[in-house]
């Protein structure tokens, strides 16, 4: 089946895809669009993950969309609340009627001769291949594999008598009441699961190979609550966003400039939470703050269940699973009835879809991104990719705004095609996520686009610089090549912007 041609085709109906669709409705209402979503519900990450305690690890005043205020009082919201917020936003802008659910995108092929993309997707209910065409392609799939999380095989795993689960595929009927639970991992998922499971479990142990920096945040924004008494909701939202963007940026910059001082501040906060007798080795990483993403806990909930004796933290490596738990390299045996492998994500770009340009497969790991939005040598396509050192949606919003501004510029100038071209010396070796050194980043390095050596090919991860660059920067910067017909397929070192 071949569907009707649309101006814009969006892949993904998570927070990035829904946000992009709403921006299209707001800023370019004349443009037609369709969203292809493999799942059967809106929400992406927030529909997929259903493990106990699932919540944001960014404050909601910056994680919410810039055009629609988050009105709940929670600073770090639970997954169900975020899913409801995304769904309500989609319904307000009548996005749901534009979504094709159950569509697994296989590939997207660009034709320069026709100035259009042809996207093939499998209707997973019928198994039929469907074909869509569009003038501009927006990838809004995030960066990990929804089919499978990262799940190493542990020696002796088959000997363990109880269930071993991964948070990405949480069984609805998992019974852990009164049982001994071991959560393997130390990232955001693990520090969320432990306090969420502890009230019902007999005891929860967080088994980590190495510690993570953990910071406690207030569960409720009392300043915002006070402002609501005399200011409109949108004003409160915008003021809270400005404040928290500044705090996020200042914290990150301070960490990079003064890592030793930041380490003392964060670990000192843990000491205040756990008391002077706490073993801080379990909370003192070997790396500097923000080499990996910091973990945040609302009102110190993780520390509270540790203080109460409902949970503990063990730092060691696994020798093997046994029938009754886990034997550690140190010789210690951890008894367990349930084991949760909170071992991370698998990186995947564009939901696993293959890009093809004029018959040639695109190798994303060999290409740069222009301003973190366009893909080098790939015409009429953008990738909505959020921040890794701040709230994802901050960048997703302005990336969508930029793509729409670019489309409107093309319409106004009569251009049918745009492509970003880099010079050979612009290429670097780091990946798009090169600012972080987490395990999933290292594993995903072969699949990610590259960082460049200079602007506009460097991913800044800095909202204060990205926002003006994406909202106001000119398009005739020498890197964008516009055309009204088939563009040259070879890089030119001279003129880049075609005359009118």
């Amino acid at each position: 089946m071949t569907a009707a041609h649309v101006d814009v085709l969006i892949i993904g109906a998570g927070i990035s895809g829904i946000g992009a669709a709403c921006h299209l409705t707001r800023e370019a209402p004349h443009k037609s669009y369709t969203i292809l979503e493999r799942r059967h519900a809106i929400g992406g990450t927030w529909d997929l993950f259903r493990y106990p305690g699932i919540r944001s690890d960014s404050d909601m005043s910056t994680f919410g969309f810039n055009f629609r205020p988050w009105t709940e009082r929670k600073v770090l919201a639970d997954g169900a609340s975020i899913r409801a917020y995304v769904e309500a936003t989609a319904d307000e802008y009548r996005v749901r009627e534009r979504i094709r659910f159950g569509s697994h995108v296989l590939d997207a092929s660009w034709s320069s001769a026709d100035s259009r993309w042809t996207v093939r997707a499998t209707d997973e209910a019928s198994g039929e291949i469907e074909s869509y065409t569009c003038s501009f392609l927006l990838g809004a799939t995030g960066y990990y594999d929804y089919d499978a999380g990262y799940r190493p095989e542990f020696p002796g795993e088959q000997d363990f008598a109880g269930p071993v689960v991964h948070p990405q595929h949480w069984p609805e009927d998992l019974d852990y009441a009164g049982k001994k639970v071991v959560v393997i991992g130390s990232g955001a998922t693990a520090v969320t699961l432990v306090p969420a499971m502890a009230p019902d479990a007999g005891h929860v142990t967080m088994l980590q190979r190495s510690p993570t920096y953990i910071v406690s945040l207030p569960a409720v924004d009392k300043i915002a609550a006070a402002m609501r008494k005399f200011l409109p909701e949108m004003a409160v939202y915008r003021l809270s966003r400005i404040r928290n963007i500044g705090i996020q940026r200042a914290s990150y910059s301070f960490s990079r400039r003064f890592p030793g001082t930041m380490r003392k501040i964060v670990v000192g906060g843990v000491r205040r939470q756990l008391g002077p007798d706490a073993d801080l080795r379990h909370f003192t990483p070997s790396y500097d703050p923000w080499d990996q993403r910091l973990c945040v806990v609302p009102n110190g909930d993780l520390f509270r269940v540790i203080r109460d004796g409902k949970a503990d933290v063990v730092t060691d490596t696994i020798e093997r699973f046994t029938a009754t738990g886990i034997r550690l390299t140190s010789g210690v045996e951890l008894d367990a009835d349930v084991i949760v492998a909170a071992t991370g994500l698998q990186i995947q770009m564009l939901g696993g879809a293959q890009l093809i340009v004029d018959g040639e497969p695109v190798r994303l790991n060999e290409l740069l991104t222009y301003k973190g939005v366009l893909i080098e040598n790939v015409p009429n396509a953008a990738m909505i990719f959020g921040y890794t050192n701040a709230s994802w949606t901050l960048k997703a919003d302005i990336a969508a705004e930029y793509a729409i501004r670019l489309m409107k510029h093309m319409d106004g100038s009569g251009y049918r095609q745009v492509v970003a071209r880099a010079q050979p010396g612009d290429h670097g070796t780091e990946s798009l996520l090169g600012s972080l050194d987490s395990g999933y980043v290292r594993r995903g390095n072969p699949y990610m686009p590259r960082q460049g050596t200079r602007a506009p090919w460097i991913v800044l991860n800095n909202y204060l610089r990205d926002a003006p660059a994406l909202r106001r920067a000119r398009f005739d910067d020498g890197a964008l090549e516009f055309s009204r017909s088939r563009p040259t397929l070879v890089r030119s070192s001279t003129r880049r912007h075609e005359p009118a």
Side-chain angles (χ1 to χ4, degrees):
M1 184 191 82
T2 299
H5 178 83
V6 291
D7 295 319
V8 184
L9 192 67
I10 302 171
I11 304 176
I15 196 165
S16 300
I18 296 300
C22 293
H23 280 291
L24 268 171
T25 301
R26 288 165 53 87
E27 298 148 34
H30 61 285
K31 293 239 177 241
S32 59
Y33 71 86
T34 295
I35 302 177
L36 300 183
E37 168 57 50
R38 185 178 179 185
R39 300 178 63 76
H40 293 274
I42 288 170
T45 295
W46 305 104
D47 180 63
L48 173 69
F49 285 99
R50 301 297 181 102
Y51 60 80
I54 172 69
R55 56 172 168 76
S56 67
D57 62 352
S58 300
D59 72 277
M60 290 305 300
S61 70
T62 58
F63 193 74
F65 298 116
N66 63 15
F67 56 86
R68 189 174 189 271
W70 169 264
T71 57
E72 293 190 28
R73 302 307 187 247
K74 303 168 187 173
V75 173
L76 305 177
D78 61 273
S81 296
I82 297 172
R83 189 167 63 251
Y85 168 77
V86 176
E87 289 176 341
T89 304
D91 290 338
E92 180 178 332
Y93 288 90
R94 302 183 65 180
V95 172
R96 195 184 298 267
E97 61 198 55
R98 311 282 191 95
I99 304 174
R100 296 278 303 189
F101 291 106
S103 294
H104 181 198
V105 176
L106 304 174
D107 53 52
S109 299
W110 168 259
S111 167
S112 293
D114 299 326
S115 295
R116 65 171 49 188
W117 286 95
T118 298
V119 178
R120 295 191 313 138
T122 301
D123 182 328
E124 295 200 317
S126 66
E128 294 182 1
I129 302 296
E130 301 178 331
S131 181
Y132 301 82
T133 62
C134 65
S135 301
F136 207 98
L137 186 68
L138 279 181
T141 59
Y143 60 83
Y144 62 86
D145 186 345
Y146 274 38
D147 287 332
Y150 177 63
R151 179 68 167 78
E153 291 294 326
F154 297 103
E157 189 173 328
Q158 68 280 358
D159 298 332
F160 180 60
V164 181
V165 301
H166 192 285
Q168 189 165 321
H169 303 285
W170 193 268
E172 292 184 7
D173 60 349
L174 181 66
D175 178 17
Y176 57 87
K179 296 182 179 180
K180 290 173 283 189
V181 179
V182 174
V183 178
I184 302 172
S186 61
T189 302
V191 303
T192 298
L193 275 167
V194 172
M197 299 180 75
D200 296 322
H203 187 81
V204 181
T205 295
M206 187 169 86
L207 172 59
Q208 59 183 13
R209 184 173 51 190
S210 57
T212 297
Y213 290 105
I214 304 174
V215 178
S216 177
L217 289 181
V220 174
D221 188 337
K222 294 181 179 179
I223 296 175
M227 287 193 292
R228 285 189 177 94
K229 296 177 181 178
F230 56 88
L231 289 176
E233 192 65 59
M234 182 55 87
V236 173
Y237 186 58
R238 294 203 182 283
L239 288 171
S240 298
R241 281 174 68 86
I242 292 169
R243 178 196 64 194
N244 288 347
I245 288 169
I247 291 172
Q248 287 176 5
R249 191 63 212 170
S251 171
Y252 180 78
S253 297
F254 186 86
S255 297
R256 306 316 280 169
R257 290 188 64 191
F258 308 105
T261 303
M262 192 64 175
R263 177 195 298 259
K264 291 178 182 178
I265 292 172
V266 175
V267 176
V270 176
R271 184 186 296 277
R272 286 191 296 274
Q273 290 279 346
L274 294 180
D277 298 329
D279 188 350
L280 295 182
R281 291 177 303 167
H282 301 307
F283 303 94
T284 308
S286 59
Y287 57 86
D288 289 334
W290 278 113
D291 282 354
Q292 298 182 23
R293 191 175 172 99
L294 271 64
C295 290
V296 292
V297 292
N299 283 353
D301 60 359
L302 173 68
F303 305 122
R304 184 177 63 253
V305 295
I306 293 174
R307 290 196 309 267
D308 294 344
K310 295 286 291 179
D312 65 343
V313 179
V314 173
T315 305
D316 208 331
T317 53
I318 296 171
E319 179 181 304
R320 65 177 292 109
F321 282 26
T322 66
T324 57
I326 299 175
R327 181 183 305 143
L328 305 178
T329 305
S330 63
V332 172
E333 299 263 355
L334 291 180
D335 291 337
D337 302 304
V338 177
I339 295 176
V340 180
T343 45
L345 309 169
Q346 295 275 37
I347 294 289
Q348 183 183 73
M349 299 303 295
L350 295 172
Q354 173 69 62
L355 291 182
I356 302 164
V357 173
D358 292 322
E360 293 294 324
V362 173
R363 295 178 176 83
L364 283 175
N365 65 338
E366 297 177 358
L367 301 178
L368 305 178
T369 59
Y370 172 86
K371 297 183 184 292
V373 181
L374 307 184
I375 306 168
E376 178 196 6
N377 297 340
V378 180
N380 290 31
M383 185 169 57
I384 308 300
F385 201 91
Y387 286 129
T388 55
N389 65 343
S391 294
W392 175 273
T393 323
L394 285 175
K395 178 63 180 295
D397 269 330
I398 56 176
E401 290 174 9
Y402 176 83
I404 295 165
R405 191 164 72 89
L406 177 60
M407 291 180 222
K408 291 167 75 174
H409 170 77
M410 293 171 66
D411 291 345
S413 303
Y415 294 124
R416 300 183 67 197
Q417 303 181 18
V418 61
V419 63
R421 302 290 195 195
Q423 300 287 349
D426 291 334
H427 283 256
T429 57
E430 283 192 348
S431 80
L432 191 65
L433 296 176
S435 61
L436 295 179
D437 191 40
S438 303
Y440 74 91
V441 174
R442 292 193 296 271
R443 291 192 302 272
N445 186 61
Y447 311 103
M448 302 290 292
R450 299 297 95 186
Q451 289 269 15
T453 58
R454 60 176 180 170
W457 308 102
I458 297 174
V459 178
L460 299 176
N461 280 315
N462 183 342
Y463 181 81
L464 299 180
R465 292 178 63 185
D466 286 334
L470 291 177
R471 285 175 170 158
R472 296 194 294 272
R474 294 169 58 90
F475 296 117
D476 55 348
D477 63 355
L480 295 183
E481 180 182 286
F482 293 89
S483 66
R484 295 180 174 87
S485 59
R486 184 184 180 96
T488 176
L489 296 182
V490 296
R491 296 191 182 112
S492 169
S493 61
T494 57
R495 208 164 176 177
R496 297 303 181 111
H497 195 289
E498 283 201 355

